[in-house]
Amino acid sequence: TAILHAFTSMNDDLVPVNSFQEAEFARLGVARRDPMFLTMQTLLEVESFPSVRALARYSRELHPQAELQRVQWLMEGMSPEEVAEAWGRNVDPMGQKRKGMFRSAEERA
């Protein structure tokens, strides 16, 4: 569905991904989604590896479910207050400081 959402973000008319996004975009006056930011983040993530070999090694060692739990802090159905509280804690679900998916080239070597 991520690819579908990326394509629909380029439509002239807004196609919200769910009712929450529709309501929030209406409330904030947002008329369209921009997939380019996520594309840029993904490309920066790939480029941060010092070599293709390092990217392959890192990818082999990943455990997708554990990685999702490490970086996901927004959950389906959270209220704006719960989002603010989760952000304020600045920790991931495993209790570590939230780094998102980014690591330095030195950490990847």
Side-chain angles (χ1 to χ4, degrees):
T1 61
I3 292 173
L4 175 63
H5 293 323
F7 277 117
T8 61
S9 70
M10 295 181 278
N11 291 354
D12 288 335
D13 296 322
L14 176 67
V15 179
V17 299
N18 57 32
S19 60
F20 176 78
Q21 185 183 70
E22 183 175 26
E24 287 298 291
F25 277 26
R27 180 178 72 82
L28 297 169
V30 176
R32 115 178 254 157
R33 288 182 285 123
D34 181 2
M36 294 309 295
F37 181 75
L38 184 55
T39 301
M40 179 191 69
Q41 283 188 306
T42 302
L43 293 173
L44 286 170
E45 175 74 1
V46 170
E47 188 176 345
S48 72
F49 285 91
S51 68
V52 173
R53 183 173 292 177
L55 173 61
R57 183 176 54 245
Y58 176 78
S59 298
R60 280 192 305 272
E61 296 170 358
L62 275 182
H63 300 282
Q65 191 59 39
E67 190 67 7
L68 177 63
Q69 290 176 345
R70 184 183 74 78
V71 300
Q72 184 177 7
W73 60 277
L74 290 175
M75 307 298 171
E76 181 80 28
M78 290 176 82
S79 68
E81 293 79 18
E82 290 169 318
V83 170
E85 182 203 340
W87 180 256
R89 286 194 305 263
N90 193 33
V91 293
D92 67 28
M94 298 171 71
Q96 300 171 356
K97 286 288 185 186
R98 184 174 39 250
K99 292 183 181 179
M101 61 184 185
F102 293 100
R103 291 185 182 82
S104 69
E106 290 80 15
E107 293 172 306
R108 297 175 184 281

